[in-house]
Amino acid sequence: MGLRNARLGFRQIEETHLMENIIYNELRSRGYSVDVGVVEKRGINEEGKEYKNQLEIDFVANLGSKRYYIQSAFSMPTEEKRIREKASLVHVNDSFKKIIVVKDVMKSINN
């Protein structure tokens, strides 16, 4: 959703949409190719049945051998919100950097 809105120059007054647009355009101006990432999470539910969820990563930015997974979160006031924003990133099993952009602060997270 964020990438689609940014590509279209989507204009809404919500600060979250403005932030996605700024991140996308800043990455593009620095020469990165930008895509949306989808992480598939599999598990077993309480009834013993297998399930599969798809978690979206807002932006996957590539420049040469550099790759960044970026989540955009206007605010993360609660632990529940922090867990939800990090969910997609912690399920990516590679060595590329994972970043959550919160307002005007960039934070790197560890798996």
Side-chain angles (χ1 to χ4, degrees):
M1 180 69 94
L3 183 60
R4 185 201 68 178
N5 291 345
R7 279 189 178 151
L8 295 175
F10 192 70
R11 295 180 192 257
Q12 285 197 10
I13 58 173
E14 290 94 0
E15 292 175 292
T16 54
H17 292 294
L18 294 173
M19 196 167 123
E20 290 170 345
N21 204 322
I22 290 166
I23 293 167
Y24 173 79
N25 288 311
E26 183 63 27
L27 289 166
R28 295 291 297 154
S29 74
R30 292 179 183 218
Y32 286 86
S33 65
V34 184
D35 294 307
V36 173
V38 176
V39 176
E40 205 169 84
K41 179 182 175 185
R42 295 175 180 263
I44 305 289
N45 66 17
E46 295 148 3
E47 292 131 16
K49 295 183 179 181
E50 188 176 322
Y51 70 88
K52 177 174 69 169
N53 288 341
Q54 287 190 334
L55 305 169
E56 181 182 304
I57 297 174
D58 290 338
F59 302 103
V60 179
N62 297 286
L63 181 64
S65 64
K66 294 179 187 177
R67 172 175 280 182
Y68 299 95
Y69 300 101
I70 302 169
Q71 285 293 99
S72 169
F74 185 73
S75 66
M76 295 196 304
T78 65
E79 183 61 23
E80 180 183 326
K81 175 71 171 170
R82 285 188 283 278
I83 290 168
R84 200 168 53 238
E85 290 298 333
K86 290 172 31 174
S88 297
L89 298 178
V90 298
H91 290 95
V92 175
N93 296 322
D94 61 31
S95 62
F96 295 109
K97 296 215 181 238
K98 296 148 183 92
I99 300 168
I100 297 177
V101 180
V102 182
K103 287 187 185 177
D104 60 347
V105 179
M106 294 185 80
K107 296 181 180 182
S108 179
I109 67 164
N110 298 321
N111 288 343

